[in-house]
Amino acid sequence: GAVVSQHPSRVICKSGTSVKIECRSLDFQATTMFWYRQFPKQSLMLMATSNEGSKATYEQGVEKDKFLINHASLTLSTLTVTSAHPEDSSFYICSARVQTGAPLDNSPLHFGNGTRLTVT
Amino acid sequence: AQSVAQPEDQVNVAEGNPLTVKCTYSVSGNPYLFWYVQYPNRGLQFLLKYITGDNLVKGSYGFEAEFNKSQTSFHLKKPSALVSDSALYFCAVRDPWRAGTASKLTFGTGTRLQVTL
């Protein structure tokens, strides 16, 4: 089946530093990847849609300059949390869909295992 | 706008008993509906989906879900629960009439399933 690999699984950083999270589709190509943020005991919040070769599409309320997304290839998207602060501590999950090219694509999302970010 | 409601924060069931995790949705047209499961500190795993056709959908690990258009529900069920089923379950909906593969998947708030011996 389709596998999405996310790295690192856990990272602790100091306030003011930047952290990069990688998301790779291992056995399929993904022109689109999705980045979610999950707060404790809450649902997933879509942060942005990462588009290969073009700019990411950010959801309302998500700071573009703080959460930099780069989708440089068909199998890799990165999320960089810049100038991290303790309130950025969260569980970040990426996902991708195996695109069938069908007009109404109904294939499910495949998720990475998430990255637990702790900013001290 | 599309939305999903999971009215129960937690469902407790004894092993061997049937389980139901509730989900209702709101979408303008005919929905694509999904169930995902999340184990601690992991991403989500796909369980099953409803796109069209038979209202009863069978998925992974013995789970099934029934699409009920009149009640706008998509409850997750399993005839006999296992302790290993204990996890966080998310219902999700997508509006298929949004353009392309970048259409948004909207998740419910999740239901924690606790199966005990």
Side-chain angles (χ1 to χ4, degrees):
Chain A
V3 177
V4 174
S5 174
Q6 190 173 338
H7 179 79
S9 59
R10 210 176 271 274
V11 59
I12 301 172
C13 70
K14 291 187 177 179
S15 186
T17 62
S18 296
V19 173
K20 180 186 283 188
I21 303 169
E22 292 187 347
C23 180
R24 294 180 186 273
S25 55
L26 294 188
D27 48 2
F28 65 99
Q29 293 183 333
T31 56
T32 304
M33 291 186 177
F34 304 90
W35 286 96
Y36 290 86
R37 182 173 178 177
Q38 186 177 27
F39 295 94
K41 298 185 179 180
Q42 292 191 27
S43 186
L44 286 77
M45 179 192 79
L46 179 63
M47 298 175 64
T49 302
S50 171
N51 304 300
E52 187 268 334
S54 64
K55 290 181 180 180
T57 305
Y58 289 83
E59 295 300 303
Q60 193 173 6
V62 178
E63 297 177 60
K64 300 178 184 181
D65 296 332
K66 178 156 197 65
F67 298 101
L68 298 179
I69 291 173
N70 185 291
H71 196 151
S73 78
L74 287 171
T75 59
L76 174 64
S77 174
T78 59
L79 168 67
T80 302
V81 183
T82 63
S83 186
H85 289 284
E87 56 265 31
D88 298 326
S89 299
S90 194
F91 194 57
Y92 294 87
I93 312 175
C94 72
S95 67
R97 182 180 292 123
V98 179
Q99 289 153 225
T100 64
L104 297 174
D105 189 356
N106 59 46
S107 54
L109 284 178
H110 297 277
F111 288 81
N113 279 333
T115 298
R116 172 75 57 193
L117 170 63
T118 303
V119 185
T120 60
Chain B
Q2 59 197 41
S3 65
V4 176
Q6 291 182 245
E8 304 153 316
D9 289 338
Q10 181 154 329
V11 169
N12 298 308
V13 66
E15 188 175 57
N17 284 358
L19 69 88
T20 299
V21 182
K22 295 180 181 177
C23 170
T24 58
Y25 66 90
S26 175
V27 70
S28 57
N30 294 319
Y32 289 171
L33 294 158
F34 303 82
W35 275 102
Y36 288 84
V37 59
Q38 185 182 30
Y39 296 98
N41 293 311
R42 304 296 285 267
L44 276 67
Q45 294 178 31
F46 169 72
L47 277 180
L48 51 78
K49 67 179 178 182
Y50 171 82
I51 304 301
T52 187
D54 195 349
N55 289 343
L56 185 63
V57 178
K58 294 188 183 295
S60 307
Y61 311 120
F63 283 93
E64 58 189 28
E66 185 165 13
F67 172 65
N68 187 318
K69 189 171 184 178
S70 62
Q71 296 184 7
T72 62
S73 67
F74 189 56
H75 301 331
L76 180 71
K77 300 181 180 185
K78 187 173 182 180
S80 179
L82 298 172
V83 172
S84 57
D85 293 330
S86 299
L88 190 57
Y89 290 82
F90 288 97
C91 181
V93 66
R94 184 148 69 92
D95 182 346
W97 305 107
R98 282 176 172 254
T101 57
S103 57
K104 297 177 191 178
L105 193 63
T106 300
F107 287 88
T109 50
T111 298
R112 186 162 301 282
L113 174 65
Q114 188 69 45
V115 182
T116 54
L117 290 170

